[in-house]
Amino acid sequence: MGLFDDLSRFLENRLEEFLRNNPHLELEALLEQLRQQEEDTLKLVADLQLQEKRSQEDILATAQEIQRWHIRVQKAKNANRQDLVGPAEEREAALLREGNQLWGHMQGLKERLEQSKELLGKIQARRQEVQTKAAQAQTARTKAQTQQRIETNGWWNSTTSSSGGFDDLEEKFRRWETQDELEQMKRNLGK
């Protein structure tokens, strides 16, 4: 396992170094990570909202059941049916405990939902910041590439015009050398 750990560390270090040397890619990776976090948080918010709705439905159903057993307790007391009053009161108390647990669970869901919504807002704000930085980096990179092209083209154009100067010089030398050869031939013929 030591070899794999070393290899893993080496690759992570190389990736970090590469991203440091290419900050626009680092911003893109961060944007992708934030997009994924936003997507996951949106799913969590939707799931918590669904759980909250179910919890509210369970609380409502339990409240209706408590009400039904409360009425039964009263009926049994009015009819002087002590054999039914005790068990009905126990059922009503058990339902009240269940309702309290459901209420506590729903309150926990609401807190988690609020925290998730706050987190979503923070992620979206951070994503906006990173998108702005990425746009600025892209603009700077484009400007640098344009400047580099201008400098490169300037170098190329100055070289081209200079090489035109070299062509003139070449032409002058050819004329002179040709003239010199002609004079040499005339001298040789005159001998």
Side-chain angles (χ1 to χ4, degrees), residues 41-66:
T41 305
L42 282 169
K43 286 177 186 175
L44 178 62
V45 166
D47 184 51
L48 288 171
Q49 286 172 333
L50 184 63
Q51 286 182 42
E52 181 185 25
K53 186 175 190 250
R54 286 181 188 152
S55 183
Q56 289 170 348
E57 291 170 356
D58 289 346
I59 288 170
L60 184 60
T62 303
Q64 289 171 344
E65 195 67 14
I66 290 168

Side-chain angles (χ1 to χ4, degrees), residues 7-185:
L7 180 62
S8 177
R9 259 184 261 124
F10 171 75
L11 292 175
E12 285 175 19
N13 290 339
R14 294 293 295 160
L15 178 61
E16 287 172 11
E17 181 182 328
F18 177 75
L19 290 176
R20 274 194 308 273
N21 293 335
N22 298 286
H24 62 284
L25 295 177
E26 185 174 15
L27 289 173
E28 288 298 321
L30 185 56
L31 266 175
E32 183 55 37
Q33 185 180 21
L34 287 169
R35 273 192 280 272
Q36 186 62 46
Q37 286 177 353
E38 183 178 8
E39 186 179 314
D40 291 346
T41 305
L42 282 169
K43 286 177 186 175
L44 178 62
V45 166
D47 184 51
L48 288 171
Q49 286 172 333
L50 184 63
Q51 286 182 42
E52 181 185 25
K53 186 175 190 250
R54 286 181 188 152
S55 183
Q56 289 170 348
E57 291 170 356
D58 289 346
I59 288 170
L60 184 60
T62 303
Q64 289 171 344
E65 195 67 14
I66 290 168
Q67 189 177 22
R68 192 165 70 102
W69 281 98
H70 184 73
I71 291 170
R72 286 181 171 174
V73 167
Q74 291 304 318
K75 276 185 183 177
K77 284 182 180 178
N78 291 343
N80 205 15
R81 293 282 313 261
Q82 295 304 321
D83 60 320
L84 295 177
V85 170
E89 287 176 335
E90 286 176 23
R91 175 69 61 90
E92 183 183 15
L95 287 168
L96 280 169
R97 284 191 299 278
E98 182 181 334
N100 285 335
Q101 287 176 346
L102 290 171
W103 185 263
H105 178 69
M106 186 184 72
Q107 290 304 110
L109 285 172
K110 284 186 178 199
E111 286 175 24
R112 284 182 59 203
L113 182 58
E114 284 307 309
Q115 290 171 350
S116 297
K117 285 180 180 179
E118 285 177 30
L119 177 61
L120 180 61
K122 288 177 183 176
I123 290 171
Q124 289 171 335
R126 179 73 174 129
R127 183 171 164 215
Q128 187 62 43
E129 283 176 33
V130 172
Q131 280 178 326
T132 302
K133 284 183 183 178
Q136 290 170 347
Q138 177 64 33
T139 303
R141 200 166 61 253
T142 303
K143 194 182 277 186
Q145 288 172 347
T146 303
Q147 183 63 32
Q148 186 178 13
R149 274 192 222 110
I150 289 170
E151 289 171 3
T152 302
N153 287 340
W155 175 80
W156 178 255
N157 289 338
S158 67
T159 303
T160 305
S161 65
S162 296
S163 69
F166 285 129
D167 287 345
D168 291 344
L169 183 61
E170 178 75 26
E171 187 62 34
K172 286 178 184 177
F173 264 93
R174 282 187 185 165
R175 276 192 218 135
W176 176 62
E177 289 169 343
T178 306
Q179 192 69 31
D180 190 45
E181 283 180 35
L182 280 172
E183 288 178 23
Q184 189 85 28
M185 284 183 192

